[in-house]
Amino acid sequence: MVQMRWPNGVTCPICNKSDARYLPNQRRWECKAKHPPRQFSVKVGTIFEDSLIALKSWLVAVWQICNCKNGISSYELARAIHVTQKTVWFMNHRIPLAMQGDDSGSLGQGWRRGRGRRNLHRWQSA
């Protein structure tokens, strides 16, 4: 995932510097520059950010939603990935929104947190 996200090396999403060090016990990176959120993970800036759902479950849900010709119910998807229906409902609202827009080939790139944990805003490219 790291190679796909940062092909030219890990860069801080806040200051865009490439002087980040890996913290193996937390599975995160820490920027050496002094700014408020110094630690970040590979999920920052994607639809997977601020989610305690395992990445494996996210990827299975993306595959199921994309490959079901007539759509898939949240109950059926919840049974398939062994989570609650409420969790799938949350995922089922983020995944289609991430697939809209440009065809950059990266799922969820261009997302960032707004005010609060649930408010996500699409970056406007000028």
Side-chain angles (χ1 to χ4, degrees):
M1 279 274 307
V2 176
Q3 292 298 327
M4 290 174 57
R5 177 76 194 270
W6 296 294
N8 299 325
V10 178
T11 58
C12 176
I14 305 298
C15 62
N16 292 325
K17 291 185 179 179
S18 60
D19 60 347
R21 66 183 179 115
Y22 186 66
L23 305 171
N25 58 341
Q26 297 178 13
R27 291 185 280 176
R28 293 176 171 236
W29 283 269
E30 183 176 56
C31 184
K32 292 180 182 175
K34 303 280 186 196
H35 50 75
R38 290 178 62 186
Q39 293 184 2
F40 59 95
S41 71
V42 73
K43 297 190 305 183
V44 71
T46 67
I47 62 171
F48 314 121
E49 183 178 1
D50 289 336
S51 172
L52 297 177
I53 305 164
L55 196 57
K56 178 182 174 182
S57 298
W58 272 104
L59 297 177
V60 170
V62 168
W63 183 83
Q64 288 274 357
I65 290 171
C66 291
N67 286 321
C68 291
K69 187 165 86 171
N70 296 329
I72 185 169
S73 73
S74 57
Y75 288 107
E76 185 179 351
L77 190 55
R79 284 192 305 268
I81 62 175
H82 307 291
V83 295
T84 64
Q85 188 267 337
K86 185 177 178 180
T87 300
V88 171
W89 190 86
F90 166 74
M91 295 166 79
N92 210 3
H93 280 80
R94 278 198 179 184
I95 293 168
L97 288 175
M99 292 189 304
Q100 292 176 358
D102 62 348
D103 292 329
S104 63
S106 57
L107 182 67
Q109 289 286 340
W111 284 90
R112 68 174 179 182
R113 254 187 9 216
R115 289 187 177 162
R117 296 182 68 108
R118 304 258 178 195
N119 297 328
L120 297 174
H121 302 284
R122 190 85 165 133
W123 283 345
Q124 299 295 323
S125 57

